[in-house]
Amino acid sequence: MRRIPFVDLKAQFAEEREALMPVIEATLAGGAWVGGEAVEQLEARLAERCGRAHAVALNSGTDALILSLRALGIGPGDEVITAPNSFIASAGAIIAVGAVPVFADVRADQNIDPDAVAAAITPRTRAIMPVHLTGRVADMDPLMAIAAHHGLAVVEDAAQSFGATYRGRPAGGFGHVGCFSAHPLKNLNAAGDAGFAVTDDAALAERLRRLRSHGLADRNNATEWGLVSRMDSLQAAILSFRLGRLDAVIARRRANAALYRHSLGHLNAPCRNHEFNTFHLFVIQVGRRDALRDFLAKRGITTAIHYPVPIHLQPAAAGLGYGQGAFPECERQASRILSLPIHQFLRPEDITAVCEAVTDYRGRD
Ligand SMILES: *Cc1c(COP(=O)(O)O)cnc(C)c1O
């Protein structure tokens, strides 16, 4: 039985090793190990790819969210509207600046529902944090209109969607700031923790640069209190290298998604014509999900659930006062969603094997 893993980072390194090792060696030999040319070059390329004037390299996607909220002046007494079905970091970043996460339910495509966002606005709302979940951009036209109408900032959590577009515009290219993760499990991945933020606002970019380095405006002058959230030069060099191969990775994932959709399309929320989906995840929604997951595991197919426990039902969120039933669509999906393996090292016959296993299982009703 050929095993079909959910991710295969060893295969990634094996493929890139010969070309990547000289890059790593040159970066170490250059002697700039934090900041420096490797980081500046990466920032220029990331800004260009996102259609933004500035990119600021940071040490994680979570810090990109936290520092962006801080740079926008969001803190105690403020509310930020976000999705309850995201990775815990989205709401965690809002909590980290002392603000209150307010959730709005999602639609069938797992992205935040603009009508629910509009209904969640209060006099304390300062920002909307849409999450571009699974590799597709949230419905940004109505979200940006709501934000403009109410004078709210928009902080995009684009951690899962680098390279995705909506009406031709890249993820991270809509709000005041777009936040990305380059965690090893993301499509554009570092060899450790890394992240970045993109914006057109020069003052905001400057503030992010200060906040990532102790609040220092230059070597000796701290204009505010900051943190240490810089990107390692080694990670920047690795990311620049991988950015050059990203379109091929996305193309492989999209080809795998097309194969999946051929057999399992009725189980996956369809893409609209104006969406370019990078398929960070390929999610099906099914009844008896856990039993299907076990069945696939017995056939050597590893799957995952992103995410089984909605944020508002996490023990950490008890103090926010939400209960079971607060976000029916999100909660229904939490019991039905299953992420199938879709990474770039799978072969067409692997995808066919997964489709056959899913179809076999569902035929047993
Ligand atoms: C991965 C992820 C983050 C956090 O990124 P890190 O780099 O791991 O800190 C935030 N939001 C979402 C939606 C994510 O998937």
Side-chain angles (χ1 to χ4, degrees):
M1 183 173 71
R2 176 171 152 81
R3 303 197 67 80
I4 302 180
F6 191 75
V7 289
D8 198 346
L9 300 182
K10 288 182 180 171
Q12 183 182 358
F13 182 61
E15 184 193 64
E16 67 194 4
R17 178 178 191 137
E18 207 181 319
L20 178 60
M21 289 314 285
V23 173
I24 290 176
E25 177 141 19
T27 308
L28 292 178
W33 294 351
V34 174
E37 214 176 294
V39 172
E40 282 158 27
Q41 278 172 7
L42 176 69
E43 288 179 336
R45 294 180 66 181
L46 293 172
E48 194 197 341
R49 180 73 194 235
C50 295
R52 292 295 215 172
H54 310 277
V56 180
L58 299 165
N59 79 355
S60 71
T62 304
D63 274 10
L65 293 169
I66 294 173
L67 297 184
S68 294
L69 291 168
R70 258 191 79 176
L72 288 165
I74 292 166
D78 298 331
E79 293 177 357
V80 180
I81 300 172
T82 192
N85 65 339
S86 184
F87 180 54
I88 190 78
S90 312
I94 298 166
I95 294 280
V97 300
V100 177
V102 171
F103 299 110
D105 210 346
V106 297
R107 288 179 176 163
D109 70 356
Q110 297 188 264
N111 275 332
I112 201 163
D113 179 352
D115 294 334
V117 170
I121 292 172
T122 76
R124 288 178 300 282
T125 308
R126 287 285 313 281
I128 304 172
M129 181 191 286
V131 182
H132 306 319
L133 212 63
T134 75
R136 66 198 305 183
V137 179
D139 199 1
M140 291 312 287
D141 281 350
L143 289 169
M144 292 307 293
I146 291 164
H149 183 73
H150 293 273
L152 306 174
V154 174
V155 178
E156 296 174 66
D157 181 343
Q160 298 190 3
S161 295
F162 186 80
T165 69
Y166 171 102
R167 300 194 199 287
R169 190 191 279 224
F174 294 85
H176 295 81
V177 55
C179 300
F180 293 91
S181 166
H183 181 277
L185 296 181
K186 303 292 157 77
N187 287 11
L188 173 63
N189 58 352
D193 279 309
F196 50 95
V198 297
T199 182
D200 287 328
D201 182 336
L204 189 68
E206 220 15 73
R207 187 139 190 230
L208 286 169
R209 289 182 205 287
R210 285 200 305 269
L211 288 171
R212 76 176 169 185
S213 192
H214 310 286
L216 287 165
D218 56 45
R219 199 170 180 84
N220 300 310
N221 294 290
T223 50
E224 62 184 313
W225 300 108
L227 298 162
V228 179
S229 183
R230 299 169 299 228
M231 186 187 287
D232 293 343
S233 313
L234 207 49
Q235 300 302 355
I238 291 169
L239 283 171
S240 278
F241 173 87
R242 289 180 177 169
L243 189 53
R245 298 177 166 212
L246 182 69
D247 286 327
V249 171
I250 292 172
R252 286 289 334 143
R253 286 175 172 263
R254 283 174 56 84
N256 288 342
L259 281 178
Y260 271 138
R261 287 198 54 80
H262 191 68
S263 320
L264 306 178
H266 56 296
L267 304 176
N268 170 254
C271 280
R272 291 166 295 258
N273 284 339
H274 60 268
E275 287 182 65
F276 180 83
N277 188 333
T278 56
F279 288 101
H280 171 58
L281 302 172
F282 186 88
V283 179
I284 57 172
Q285 299 187 27
V286 291
R288 296 180 299 129
R289 184 266 320 276
D290 294 335
L292 171 60
R293 192 173 189 215
D294 292 344
F295 181 83
L296 296 176
K298 288 201 191 87
R299 291 207 183 174
I301 300 164
T302 308
T303 58
I305 302 168
H306 302 87
Y307 299 91
V309 182
I311 302 176
H312 67 286
L313 299 178
Q314 292 284 348
L320 297 175
Y322 295 100
Q324 194 87 39
F327 303 105
E329 181 61 21
C330 160
E331 291 169 30
R332 199 178 80 90
Q333 289 178 11
S335 67
R336 292 172 57 83
I337 48 177
L338 185 66
S339 304
L340 303 180
I342 192 169
H343 62 80
Q344 64 269 31
F345 299 102
L346 295 175
R347 311 177 202 149
E349 51 271 34
D350 295 325
I351 305 296
T352 305
V354 178
C355 289
E356 277 172 10
V358 172
T359 305
D360 271 8
Y361 178 77
R362 290 175 57 81
R364 295 180 177 201
D365 278 340

